[in-house]
Amino acid sequence: MFKPDTEAFPGKRFGRLLQPFKSIRMNMIFLFSLLILCAVFLFLGISLRVTRKAVIENSTEYTKQVIGQVNADIDAYISYMENISTLLVTNMDVREYLSTEPYSEKDTELYLRMLSQFETILSMREDIYNIVVYGENDKFAVNHGTQMLNRNVDIKEMTWYKKAIEGNGRRVLSSSHVQNLISDDYKWVVTLSKAIRTKETGKILGALLVDLNYSSITKLCQNIKMGNKGYIFLIDSQGEIIYHPKQQLIYTGLRKEKIGEILTCKKDHFITTVDGEEKLYTMSTSEKTGWTVVGVANINELFPGRQSTQSIYLESALMLLLGALIIAVLFSNKLTRPITDLRNSMKQVEKGNFDKIPRKDWGEGEIGMLHKSFYAMTDELQNLMEDKSRSQKEKYKLELRALQAQINPHFLYNTLDSIVWMGEGGNNKEVVIMTATLAKLLRQSISNEVEFVTIENEVDYARSYLIIQKMRYRDQLSFEISVNPLIYSCRMVKLILQPLVENAIYHGIKYRETKGTVIIRGEETKEGILLQVIDNGIGMEEDTLKHIFDKKDKSGKSNGVAVENVNRRLKLYYGEQYGLQYESTPGIGTTVSIYLPKVEGGVPDEELSNND
Amino acid sequence: MKSYQITTKKKKFFQYPQIIALTILFLCTGMFLSKIMLHQEKPIEIICIVKSLDEDNGFWQSVMEGANLAAMEYNAQIVIWGAEKEDDYSKQNQLIEEAINRKPGAIVLAAADYIKTVEAAKAVVSNNIKLVLIDSTVQGDFADAVIATDNYKAGIRMGALMKRLLKDGKEIGIISHVKGTSTAIDRENGIRMGLTDDKDKIAEITYCDSDTEKAKELTKEMVKKHPDISVIAGLNQYASVGAGAAIKEMGLENCIKVIGFDNATEQIKYLEEGIYEAIVIQKSFNMGYLGVESAIKLIKGERTERVIDSGSTLITKDNMYTSLNQKLLFPFD
């Protein structure tokens, strides 16, 4: 029990998707394209990915070097500042100044000596904004000694001071901030501070502050270029931003920086997405300052010609596809041509044209074998068909012979009856003629071993028949035979003329009230031989004429059989172009034309029948 | 036989929709490629007209900084123009006209007057130039985008603080800047809202026309005229610096509390000194940045908010040096 069910064939839908066309060729091209398209895009994806990975690795390495250098620069810078601070903290003038009583003579002297040292350092280094010494006893010295401290702040409560005292001689480094220590002066600085202690006891006397110009730090970072959109920034150990090229955007909340990720990241680089763009973050933390330099590179920019690379990849992929498609078209053509060819051959066979099959050798492949099998099959088929038609013909001939053998019993009976009447009437002479003619007729009819007779024989046979009929109908029938003697020796199928003459008498002349005439004519034409049986009987209506070759006459009269039989035999022996042609006019008469090929005598019966 | 003949009948090429689809695919890829190859951005041109180019004015300097940074970020060309004095609306109108003649993609404008700048601003829009208003708006609702401090909100902040500082039976004095500007109107209304039931304690509102000296004189006059005044608010940099200076000169810092607006160095000093009780600062950098950013987005046809509040913060002496606030108060060099 076969039941088509989609459940039972889950691959059916998929298969249909893969083979949307009816022709094998289109399906092949389609599948080829699909396959190549997949392969090309897979290749494209992989190569882009590989390129990207390599580029990112290179870039990470490069960025690491750059930010490592920045870090080293900052470290060197801070070390230098540290040296200055150490120099000042251990300076005897500074220590003494902080421990002496104020307003003494020595105090002023120390103060001035100290300021001159500050002066030297400040003139040497433009990147130092402020040098401030502040004592526990509230004595202080600021830069050149000309500036006032900000009265509104309590210096001992300031972070730098408190941390320096807590640090007890360790260097304290602030993040970037606004220095409000000095009156009327608000500068962005990075502060380095250190406690000042006595040399002997280590007792804390106060603290030293060195303010570094903030821009000197930013300059170190600003000059580093990392593509158009790449940048570096600096954060301290708390994650507080010291420098960022877009710091205003960050402080006003228009931008966010990935501080949390940087602080928690254990590796020295990571990739993240900011505003829809992929960025590579690379970090380097200084042991000395605790600051972290972060390099940010835009991944899109890492590929210098990323777009052109991509379009080149895409272009070449398309060219490949196009090329592959052309190959697919050509190749599929080569592959499907034997099949198309086979289909065309089959069409020819369908129509019965066995001879029109083009026989080609397609090699030993599957399709080649298919062709060979097909040819073998058609050959077999052709043989079978020829055998069949030959045997059919044989059968026909036998049938015809049987028919020919029969002499119409009515005719025989009527003729014998006429002879009896004539004998009784004493017309001995006529009895002799009629009996002799009948004997001749019978002899001709019996000798049916041969298929073909000379035209002379055929005409004689018709004549014999006419003589008998004329004697029977006396005044009602006359006949005339005018056959060119040149064609007498030609051969033709026998028993053609007599049935037609019989027809002319029984269906034409018989119904006439006055005497009727049958004329047999024969001559040679361009195409062959033309025999005619002409009568001046009642003729036929057009409708009857149309159905003259039908197997069964509508009226049931036997004449149809004869005409059809004669016509079929002629066509069977000589081909379609030969046969009978009727012309008839009601009241005037009928003419039957018999078209025959001109066959000279001596051609054997069998050969002729095979040659049609 | 017949049905077989139908299936083997040759089909025309165009009867395969798949082939057409494939061809279209090819064409599309080609077009996409050529688009990538030929894609070039047109340079964006923006003219920014601020109220004042005064280098001592930290507010406008910071706006310009923001504007420049945004232009740099988006790779746009920017020109910044402005009159010398804030209330010079006729000069500004001339500048707007000149800007229109140069046919930029957008004009970012800080309107000098709420009424008198309207015509010039309308001309910008009618010339098919995008108009982005920053800081101060004009009458009517025709600008493509407005980026400003929500002055009403800033006013409420001031008002609420004043209400807290106000003692029974005392009065409030307000030194406003330019009468008729949207910022003055909104700030005054905001203060009234913040004061709630104390709003009838406002003794006087005067206008200094963004002139520090005038503000100082007006403050002195006001204090003499209304001896009960214990809280004074200055509604912009000039007004509040003037008010601070007057109070300092008169030595009244212990009796009269001043609340300032904006963050000039002078004002920061007053805050440190205790002359000012607090200041309300605007995020001027944001204003400039967001103004230009909006203009660029409008030119590119991207979606932007029509009204953006650039933000404001109340800063007192105690919190002025916190890490975040010092960054808002002091510009980087």
Side-chain angles (χ1 to χ4, degrees):
Chain A
M1 287 286 281
F2 180 73
K3 212 176 161 190
D5 187 356
T6 39
E7 281 292 302
F9 301 97
K12 213 174 165 185
R13 266 181 74 92
F14 184 65
R16 213 173 274 162
L17 269 178
L18 281 179
Q19 301 187 351
F21 300 99
K22 271 182 182 148
S23 90
I24 296 178
R25 188 171 172 211
M26 284 316 294
N27 274 330
M28 271 170 71
I29 293 172
F30 175 72
L31 281 177
F32 267 139
S33 312
L34 207 69
L35 208 70
I36 290 157
L37 208 67
C38 288
V40 158
F41 276 102
L42 204 69
F43 167 76
L44 204 69
I46 289 170
S47 46
L48 279 178
R49 185 157 283 270
V50 168
T51 320
R52 183 190 140 98
K53 206 180 162 208
V55 166
I56 286 174
E57 268 169 23
N58 280 345
S59 172
T60 313
E61 209 45 54
Y62 168 74
T63 316
K64 262 190 221 164
Q65 280 175 16
V66 170
I67 62 174
Q69 190 54 48
V70 173
N71 229 339
D73 287 349
I74 292 171
D75 279 359
Y77 186 73
I78 298 294
S79 299
Y80 190 79
M81 294 301 150
E82 253 176 49
N83 292 344
I84 290 172
S85 68
T86 313
L87 207 73
L88 288 173
V89 168
T90 52
N91 186 296
M92 285 318 291
D93 292 342
V94 174
R95 279 172 175 167
E96 259 181 74
Y97 172 71
L98 287 181
S99 26
T100 51
E101 282 296 306
Y103 310 119
S104 63
E105 210 175 291
K106 196 182 177 203
D107 177 58
T108 317
E109 193 198 321
L110 283 168
Y111 179 66
L112 290 173
R113 263 169 46 201
M114 203 166 67
L115 285 187
S116 79
Q117 284 187 8
F118 288 4
E119 183 102 46
T120 321
I121 295 165
L122 286 168
S123 62
M124 238 164 61
R125 303 285 306 196
E126 276 182 3
D127 47 5
I128 296 177
Y129 256 144
N130 301 310
I131 301 175
V132 175
V133 165
Y134 198 89
E136 285 280 272
N137 54 3
D138 293 327
K139 287 178 78 172
F140 64 89
V142 180
N143 298 342
H144 307 285
T146 50
Q147 279 161 306
M148 297 284 289
L149 287 180
N150 189 341
R151 281 183 289 117
N152 302 307
V153 295
D154 184 355
I155 289 170
K156 282 186 182 166
E157 285 304 308
M158 288 176 90
T159 326
W160 69 270
Y161 189 84
K162 281 194 336 201
K163 284 208 170 153
I165 302 300
E166 277 167 28
N168 197 17
R170 265 194 302 113
R171 176 270 282 151
V172 179
L173 194 64
S174 81
S175 179
S176 55
H177 68 110
V178 171
Q179 186 58 277
N180 60 334
L181 180 73
I182 291 155
S183 159
D184 268 354
D185 191 33
Y186 303 94
K187 287 267 176 12
W188 278 93
V189 293
V190 171
T191 302
L192 193 151
S193 57
K194 214 169 188 178
I196 303 168
R197 295 175 300 178
T198 59
K199 195 181 177 186
E200 300 78 18
T201 58
K203 183 184 161 237
I204 290 170
L205 296 168
L208 168 87
L209 166 145
V210 179
D211 274 343
L212 312 176
N213 189 345
Y214 171 67
S215 61
S216 59
I217 302 278
T218 63
K219 264 180 208 150
L220 284 174
C221 305
Q222 252 164 3
N223 293 333
I224 309 297
K225 280 275 167 216
M226 308 232 308
N228 272 333
K229 285 187 174 172
Y231 55 90
I232 66 171
F233 67 96
L234 200 57
I235 58 171
D236 70 8
S237 51
Q238 262 71 52
E240 199 72 46
I241 289 175
I242 297 167
Y243 164 80
H244 194 290
K246 308 252 166 76
Q247 40 205 351
Q248 274 131 320
L249 292 181
I250 288 167
Y251 299 144
T252 53
L254 291 178
R255 279 286 160 80
K256 293 268 182 291
E257 196 51 272
K258 307 257 173 184
I259 306 293
E261 280 187 55
I262 292 163
L263 291 177
T264 51
C265 182
K266 289 196 174 69
K267 284 190 293 182
D268 60 356
H269 68 276
F270 63 90
I271 292 169
T272 184
T273 311
V274 182
D275 295 333
E277 284 183 321
E278 269 192 303
K279 309 243 177 182
L280 172 67
Y281 278 70
T282 316
M283 287 90 69
S284 162
T285 305
S286 159
E287 299 267 319
K288 196 173 187 71
T289 57
W291 293 355
T292 304
V293 181
V294 185
V296 183
N298 201 324
I299 286 189
N300 277 345
E301 273 191 0
L302 297 181
F303 301 83
R306 184 163 184 260
Q307 268 195 348
S308 63
T309 315
Q310 242 170 9
S311 56
I312 284 168
Y313 272 138
L314 208 64
E315 255 175 71
S316 45
L318 277 177
M319 291 308 286
L320 270 174
L321 191 64
L322 204 69
L325 211 64
I326 290 166
I327 291 170
V329 168
L330 296 177
F331 186 60
S332 66
N333 186 27
K334 205 169 153 60
L335 221 63
T336 50
R337 228 178 67 212
I339 298 174
T340 326
D341 195 76
L342 191 63
R343 200 190 63 193
N344 291 338
S345 300
M346 278 180 177
K347 263 189 187 169
Q348 292 298 329
V349 172
E350 244 170 57
K351 288 180 192 157
N353 303 330
F354 290 94
D355 299 325
K356 287 185 183 168
I357 299 171
R359 294 189 181 223
K360 290 181 197 158
D361 189 9
W362 294 104
E364 295 298 309
E366 288 95 332
I367 291 173
M369 294 314 281
L370 197 63
H371 271 262
K372 279 182 185 148
S373 305
F374 177 74
Y375 295 147
M377 189 185 82
T378 47
D379 286 348
E380 191 65 25
L381 203 60
Q382 197 174 5
N383 286 339
L384 278 171
M385 281 177 83
E386 271 167 14
D387 278 356
K388 196 183 169 194
S389 77
R390 197 180 295 129
S391 64
Q392 198 99 41
K393 237 178 234 171
E394 293 301 323
K395 206 173 143 195
Y396 249 129
K397 283 174 191 165
L398 287 173
E399 221 172 80
L400 282 173
R401 272 174 201 159
L403 265 174
Q404 285 159 5
Q406 290 169 2
I407 203 123
N408 196 333
H410 279 283
F411 171 73
L412 197 61
Y413 168 76
N414 286 340
T415 309
L416 290 173
D417 205 28
S418 297
I419 292 171
V420 170
W421 279 106
M422 275 188 259
E424 272 176 10
N427 297 330
N428 284 338
K429 201 185 169 190
E430 283 179 358
V431 168
V432 172
I433 293 169
M434 203 165 189
T435 311
T437 314
L438 184 62
K440 194 180 173 188
L441 195 71
L442 281 172
R443 198 181 60 230
Q444 277 175 329
S445 166
I446 287 162
S447 64
N448 60 358
E449 274 83 39
V450 285
E451 202 78 26
F452 292 84
V453 291
T454 58
I455 288 179
E456 192 181 5
N457 285 346
E458 183 66 9
V459 170
D460 275 348
Y461 187 65
R463 185 182 285 126
S464 305
Y465 178 76
L466 276 168
I467 290 167
I468 294 169
Q469 288 294 38
K470 194 189 170 192
M471 288 171 85
R472 280 182 61 209
Y473 288 99
R474 288 191 194 270
D475 300 329
Q476 264 202 288
L477 178 74
S478 72
F479 68 89
E480 192 187 316
I481 290 171
S482 81
V483 175
N484 191 341
L486 284 175
I487 60 168
Y488 271 160
S489 62
C490 290
R491 290 170 75 103
M492 69 176 286
V493 188
K494 72 171 186 178
L495 275 175
I496 297 293
L497 278 176
Q498 185 272 325
L500 297 175
V501 170
E502 188 179 334
N503 264 352
I505 295 166
Y506 284 101
H507 301 289
I509 307 288
K510 199 173 133 188
Y511 298 106
R512 253 182 83 98
E513 273 154 32
T514 54
K515 201 175 188 178
T517 311
V518 172
I519 306 167
I520 292 172
R521 290 174 56 185
E523 66 198 40
E524 192 178 347
T525 64
K526 274 182 200 165
E527 287 83 24
I529 288 163
L530 173 67
L531 298 176
Q532 281 179 315
V533 179
I534 305 161
D535 69 79
N536 57 355
I538 55 160
M540 282 177 282
E541 295 291 336
E542 210 173 309
D543 194 45
T544 321
L545 200 61
K546 261 186 200 169
H547 297 283
I548 196 90
F549 296 124
D550 287 1
K551 267 197 171 175
K552 234 183 188 176
D553 198 300
K554 270 180 199 165
S555 56
K557 287 175 200 160
S558 60
N559 74 310
V561 179
V563 173
E564 191 271 335
N565 189 301
V566 168
N567 191 35
R568 194 147 57 95
R569 269 158 61 211
L570 285 171
K571 286 187 189 301
L572 193 64
Y573 284 106
Y574 299 120
E576 282 300 313
Q577 68 266 46
Y578 301 102
L580 300 182
Q581 195 188 344
Y582 268 83
E583 280 166 58
S584 182
T585 317
I588 300 221
T590 306
T591 305
V592 195
S593 302
I594 305 155
Y595 295 98
L596 298 169
K598 190 184 177 192
V599 184
E600 297 292 341
V603 182
D605 186 350
E606 271 305 297
E607 229 174 271
L608 246 168
S609 67
N610 273 345
N611 264 0
D612 63 335
Chain B
M1 275 302 179
K2 269 201 170 160
S3 69
Y4 177 65
Q5 283 200 337
I6 286 164
T7 54
T8 54
K9 207 169 78 185
K10 266 194 182 171
K11 283 203 174 178
K12 288 247 172 74
F13 190 74
F14 292 106
Q15 272 173 297
Y16 295 112
Q18 287 90 343
I19 291 184
I20 297 164
L22 218 69
T23 322
I24 289 168
L25 187 86
F26 266 103
L27 283 177
C28 285
T29 326
M31 267 157 66
F32 170 71
L33 263 180
S34 61
K35 206 182 160 191
I36 286 178
M37 307 289 235
L38 302 174
H39 184 69
Q40 258 177 351
E41 261 182 53
K42 261 198 270 172
I44 294 169
E45 215 186 322
I46 290 166
I47 295 177
C48 178
I49 300 171
V50 296
K51 278 191 193 172
S52 163
L53 292 177
D54 184 359
E55 274 183 31
D56 291 331
N57 189 317
F59 181 82
W60 291 112
Q61 292 296 320
S62 167
V63 167
M64 289 186 239
E65 241 177 85
N68 279 324
L69 185 66
M72 209 170 78
E73 286 258 291
Y74 287 97
N75 215 3
Q77 285 173 9
I78 191 168
V79 202
I80 301 178
W81 293 342
E84 277 305 311
K85 279 178 63 71
E86 278 207 20
D87 57 349
D88 195 350
Y89 61 82
S90 58
K91 176 82 202 292
Q92 194 185 51
N93 286 347
Q94 272 176 33
L95 289 173
I96 295 170
E97 206 178 305
E98 217 175 294
I100 292 169
N101 290 337
R102 282 178 58 160
K103 299 226 168 297
I107 291 178
V108 178
L109 172 70
D113 196 283
Y114 187 64
I115 306 289
K116 287 166 184 132
T117 316
V118 172
E119 286 312 309
K122 274 190 176 161
V124 174
V125 179
S126 61
N127 274 287
N128 264 335
I129 296 167
K130 301 282 177 195
L131 176 66
V132 177
L133 292 177
I134 55 168
D135 182 56
S136 309
T137 60
V138 291
Q139 196 175 40
D141 194 32
F142 54 84
D144 293 298
V146 177
I147 290 97
T149 307
D150 190 336
N151 285 304
Y152 186 69
K153 218 194 247 172
I156 291 174
R157 279 206 173 102
M158 290 175 98
L161 183 66
M162 282 152 83
K163 187 180 162 69
R164 204 146 37 86
L165 296 170
L166 192 67
K167 296 206 173 65
D168 281 345
K170 296 291 182 184
E171 287 182 318
I172 293 166
I174 292 172
I175 318 292
S176 189
H177 43 291
V178 182
K179 190 164 187 174
T181 54
S182 67
T183 52
I185 296 164
D186 288 346
R187 283 170 204 172
E188 284 164 27
N189 288 337
I191 286 174
R192 287 200 190 90
M193 188 64 190
L195 283 169
T196 59
D197 49 331
D198 281 339
K199 62 172 173 283
D200 46 343
K201 297 218 173 123
I202 299 172
E204 197 186 349
I205 299 177
T206 57
Y207 297 92
C208 70
D209 297 325
S210 282
D211 183 325
T212 313
E213 282 307 309
K214 196 175 171 186
K216 202 162 119 185
E217 293 312 312
L218 285 172
T219 311
K220 283 179 180 171
E221 269 171 43
M222 191 192 274
V223 171
K224 277 177 198 147
K225 212 159 87 186
H226 305 281
D228 279 342
I229 285 180
S230 73
V231 178
I232 287 181
L235 295 197
N236 78 347
Q237 182 190 325
Y238 302 100
S240 41
V241 169
I247 298 302
K248 196 178 175 183
E249 266 182 38
M250 293 164 89
L252 291 172
E253 52 259 52
N254 292 327
C255 325
I256 298 175
K257 304 203 185 294
V258 183
I259 296 168
F261 209 97
D262 290 344
N263 53 328
T265 316
E266 203 85 31
Q267 290 169 287
I268 290 161
K269 250 163 63 189
Y270 287 150
L271 188 63
E272 266 192 338
E273 283 171 22
I275 290 166
Y276 280 177
E277 196 63 32
I279 51 173
V280 170
I281 62 162
Q282 308 180 68
K283 297 189 176 171
S284 47
F285 181 88
N286 282 16
M287 225 181 259
Y289 185 89
L290 293 171
V292 172
E293 189 183 56
S294 296
I296 289 164
K297 281 185 179 170
L298 284 167
I299 292 169
K300 285 184 179 169
E302 290 168 25
R303 209 186 64 85
T304 52
E305 300 276 334
R306 228 190 69 77
V307 178
I308 302 172
D309 176 16
S310 50
S312 62
T313 315
L314 186 85
I315 288 182
T316 62
K317 192 186 173 183
D318 301 329
N319 69 14
M320 66 185 290
Y321 284 107
T322 59
S323 152
L324 190 71
N325 285 344
Q326 66 175 342
K327 280 158 185 164
L328 293 175
L329 277 176
F330 303 95
F332 295 94
D333 301 313

